[in-house]
C-alpha cells in the first residue's frame, strides 16, 4: 500500500504520527531496479520506508538535461507499490524552493574533484535538497547507491558535519545483464549507443582483474581503461580518474590504500558515469 504526500505540512504531520525506525530513499524518479534495491533494503531494515521523488532543479547546470529528464510518476508508483507499505513524498519545485529562497548547504573539499569539477554547483544543489528532505523525514537510515559514490561520500560528510542522527547506507550498483549500470539516463541512448555502452563496465572489470594480478600503478590502470573505451567509436571520454577512496584526492602513482576508479563518458549527448572500488 502506498501513501502519497505532496507538501511539507503533510510530510511533517505524517512523520509526527510515525513510531519506530524510518528508512529513507531520496530519488529523482523514473525508477529502475537500482532504486528498488534501495527501497527493499529500507523496508527490510526499518519499521517504515519513505521514498521521495523530486527532480531537483538546483543540481542541474544551465546546459544540462533538467527539462528533458525522464519522468513517469504513474509507473514509479506502481513499481513502489509492489514492494510493500511505503510512504511516497512528491514535493514540487515551489514547495522545495519557495520565492526568495536563499539558504544553501555546501560541503567543501569532497565536492571539488570529479563530478564537482565537471558539474559546478551540482553538489550544492544535492546537499541543499537532501538536507531539506532529511529535516522533514528525520530518517534513522538513508540509502544511497554506490553508482554515485561521490554523492554518497558528500552526503555522509554533510550528515556528520551537521549532526544529523541519520546513518548513511551505501548500496551496490545494480547492473543490466551486460554490465551497464542502471540509470534513468540510459533511456536517452539510441540502440547503437546502448549496444556500445557496456564498454564502460568491461573496461572497469579489466582494471579489477589487473589489480587482482598485482598491478598497483594508478596511471597504468587508468590508461588501460582509457584505451579500451577509446576503441569504441561512439564513446567520448570526459574523465577517467583514480582517487583515494576516503579523501577523493587523485592518486597518480602507486595505490597504497583503498581507491576508486571513476569515469564519465558521453555517448552522443548522453553522459554516463560508473565506478569500481579497489582494495
Ligand atoms: P537518482 O534518482 O538518479 O537521483 O538516484 C537515486 C538513488 O538511487 C541515488 O542514491 C543513486 O545513487 C541510486 N542509484 C541510481 N542508480 C543506481 C544503480 N544502478 N544501483 C544502485 N543504486 C542506484
Amino acid at each position: 500500500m502506498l501513501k502519497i504526500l505532496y507538501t511539507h505540512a503533510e510530510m511533517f504531520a505524517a512523520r509526527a504520527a510515525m513510531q519506530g525506525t524510518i528508512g529513507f530513499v531520496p530519488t529523482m524518479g523514473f525508477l529502475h531496479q537500482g532504486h528498488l534495491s534501495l527501497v527493499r533494503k529500507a523496508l527490510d531494515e526499518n519499521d517504515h520506508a519513505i521514498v521521495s521523488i523530486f527532480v531537483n532543479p538546483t543540481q542541474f547546470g544551465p546546459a544540462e538535461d533538467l527539462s528533458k529528464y525522464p519522468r513517469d510518476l504513474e509507473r514509479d508508483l506502481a513499481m513502489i507499490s509492489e514492494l510493500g507499505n511505503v510512504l511516497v513524498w512528491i514535493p514540487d519545485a515551489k514547495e522545495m524552493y519557495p520565492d526568495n529562497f536563499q539558504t544553501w548547504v555546501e560541503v567543501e573539499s569532497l565536492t571539488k574533484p570529479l563530478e564537482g569539477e565537471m558539474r559546478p554547483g551540482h553538489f550544492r544543489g544535492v546537499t541543499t535538497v537532501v538536507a531539506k528532505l532529511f529535516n522533514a523525514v528525520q530518517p534513522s537510515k538513508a540509502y544511497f547507491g554506490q553508482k554515485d559514490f561521490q554523492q554518497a561520500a558528500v552526503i555522509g560528510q554533510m550528515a556528520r558535519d551537521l549532526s544529523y542522527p541519520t546513518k548513511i547506507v551505501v548500496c551496490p550498483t545494480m547492473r543490466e545483464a551486460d554490465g551497464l549500470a542502471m540509470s534513468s539516463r540510459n533511456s536517452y541512448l539510441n540502440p547503437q549507443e546502448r549496444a556500445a555502452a557496456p564498454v564502460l563496465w568491461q573496461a572497469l572489470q579489466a582494471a579489477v582483474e589487473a589489480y587482482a594480478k598485482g598491478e598497483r600503478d594508478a596511471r597504468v590502470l587508468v590508461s588501460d581503461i582509457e584505451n579500451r573505451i577509446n576503441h569504441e567509436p561512439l564513446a567520448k571520454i570526459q574523465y577517467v580518474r583514480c582517487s583515494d577512496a576516503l579523501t577523493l584526492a587523485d592518486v597518480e602513482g602507486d595505490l597504497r590504500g583503498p581507491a576508486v576508479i571513476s569515469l564519465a563518458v558521453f555517448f552522443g549527448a548522453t553522459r554516463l558515469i560508473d565506478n569500481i572500488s579497489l582494495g
Side-chain angles (χ1 to χ4, degrees):
M1 251 250 317
L2 292 187
K3 188 166 177 191
I4 299 172
L5 309 173
Y6 298 95
T7 63
H8 273 91
E10 288 169 342
M11 184 64 236
F12 285 134
R15 179 65 184 88
M18 289 169 115
Q19 290 187 345
T21 59
I22 314 278
F24 177 46
V25 181
T27 81
M28 299 206 298
F30 210 70
L31 303 181
H32 49 65
Q33 290 300 323
H35 296 110
L36 298 187
S37 72
L38 308 186
V39 181
R40 281 197 193 90
K41 197 144 196 221
L43 280 163
D44 277 359
E45 295 185 351
N46 301 277
D47 299 319
H48 305 279
I50 301 181
V51 174
S52 63
I53 300 177
F54 179 58
V55 181
N56 176 33
T58 64
Q59 70 187 67
F60 288 78
E64 292 183 356
D65 56 344
L66 172 63
S67 63
K68 284 186 306 179
Y69 197 82
R71 293 159 215 244
D72 190 341
L73 191 53
E74 223 171 290
R75 179 166 149 273
D76 290 346
L77 295 176
M79 288 168 90
I80 300 171
S81 70
E82 287 185 11
L83 303 183
N85 287 327
V86 178
L87 194 158
V88 186
W89 184 23
I90 315 173
D92 67 16
K94 268 255 168 332
E95 187 67 33
M96 272 298 160
Y97 301 106
D99 287 345
N100 196 31
F101 183 90
Q102 48 183 309
T103 305
W104 299 91
V105 175
E106 205 160 350
V107 170
E108 294 184 344
S109 313
L110 282 180
T111 63
K112 297 284 184 291
L114 305 171
E115 290 299 282
E117 185 183 334
M118 300 303 162
R119 304 182 67 188
H122 168 69
F123 285 120
R124 177 185 191 245
V126 169
T127 43
T128 300
V129 83
V130 172
K132 287 175 63 81
L133 294 167
F134 279 11
N135 290 341
V137 171
Q138 298 171 48
S140 321
K141 296 184 178 181
Y143 297 82
F144 293 87
Q146 172 71 21
K147 176 170 168 272
D148 302 284
F149 86 101
Q150 187 177 16
Q151 169 173 277
V154 166
I155 302 285
Q157 186 71 41
M158 177 192 85
R160 278 192 297 282
D161 290 350
L162 296 185
S163 311
Y164 282 101
T166 303
K167 180 174 183 297
I168 306 303
V169 183
V170 184
C171 305
T173 302
M174 294 292 125
R175 298 178 180 281
E176 303 290 353
D178 59 12
L180 177 63
M182 290 181 182
S183 165
S184 308
R185 290 190 167 98
N186 291 349
S187 64
Y188 298 144
L189 300 170
N190 69 30
Q192 292 75 31
E193 292 161 351
R194 175 63 188 81
V199 70
L200 304 184
W201 172 238
Q202 289 155 11
L204 290 171
Q205 277 307 103
V208 170
E209 280 163 33
Y211 182 86
K213 289 191 183 133
E215 180 59 62
R216 290 294 179 274
D217 187 334
R219 282 162 305 189
V220 171
L221 293 166
V222 165
S223 68
D224 182 63
I225 290 172
E226 288 171 342
N227 290 337
R228 285 168 192 272
I229 295 173
N230 283 332
H231 244 77
E232 171 47 65
L234 293 179
K236 291 240 162 357
I237 294 176
Q238 187 179 47
Y239 69 82
V240 179
R241 294 272 173 74
C242 184
S243 315
D244 180 282
L246 290 180
T247 65
L248 306 190
D250 261 11
V251 181
E252 279 172 351
D254 272 3
L255 293 180
R256 290 168 205 284
V260 182
I261 299 187
S262 61
L263 50 77
V265 175
F266 282 96
F267 291 83
T270 305
R271 182 176 181 276
L272 300 183
I273 60 170
D274 201 349
N275 67 83
I276 42 126
S277 304
L278 297 176

